[in-house]
């Protein structure tokens, strides 16, 4: 990762969670408009399904610290 990208990442991570999500959505939309989607349609469907589950409250997110610890 270049230093510029690393600095941008650190600035983005300093944003409130809602603004981080807005940034991610905007970046994905910009990439998609240019046809540079970093995943195929099956991943997009899975992402949309999981996002809908989260938005509806039917699933509870697991904090990254717990996921990371469980993977160890």
């Amino acid at each position: 990762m270049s230093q510029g990208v690393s600095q941008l990442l650190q600035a983005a991570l300093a944003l409130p969670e809602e603004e981080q999500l807005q940034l991610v959505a905007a970046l994905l939309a910009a990439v998609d408009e240019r046809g540079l989607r970093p995943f195929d349609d099956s991943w997009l469907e899975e992402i949309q399904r999981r996002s809908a589950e989260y938005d509806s409250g039917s699933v509870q997110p697991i904090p990254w610290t717990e996921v990371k610890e469980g993977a160890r």
Side-chain angles (χ1 to χ4, degrees):
M1 181 180 309
S2 73
Q3 186 171 354
V5 172
S6 181
Q7 289 173 340
L8 282 171
L9 176 60
Q10 291 307 311
L13 292 173
L15 294 170
E17 287 183 8
E18 182 62 32
E19 290 181 14
Q20 288 180 20
L21 294 173
Q22 290 173 359
L23 178 59
V24 168
L27 286 170
L28 287 174
V31 166
D32 191 42
E33 284 179 12
R34 295 188 309 244
L36 301 173
R37 190 180 305 154
F39 40 77
D40 64 26
D41 287 340
S42 64
W43 273 106
L44 181 58
E45 291 168 11
E46 182 68 12
I47 291 165
Q48 290 172 333
R49 182 187 67 77
R50 291 182 184 201
S51 180
E53 287 177 344
Y54 175 79
D55 290 342
S56 73
S58 65
V59 297
Q60 293 298 314
I62 301 170
W64 171 242
T65 54
E66 289 182 30
V67 172
K68 188 169 54 172
E69 188 62 33
R72 291 185 181 163

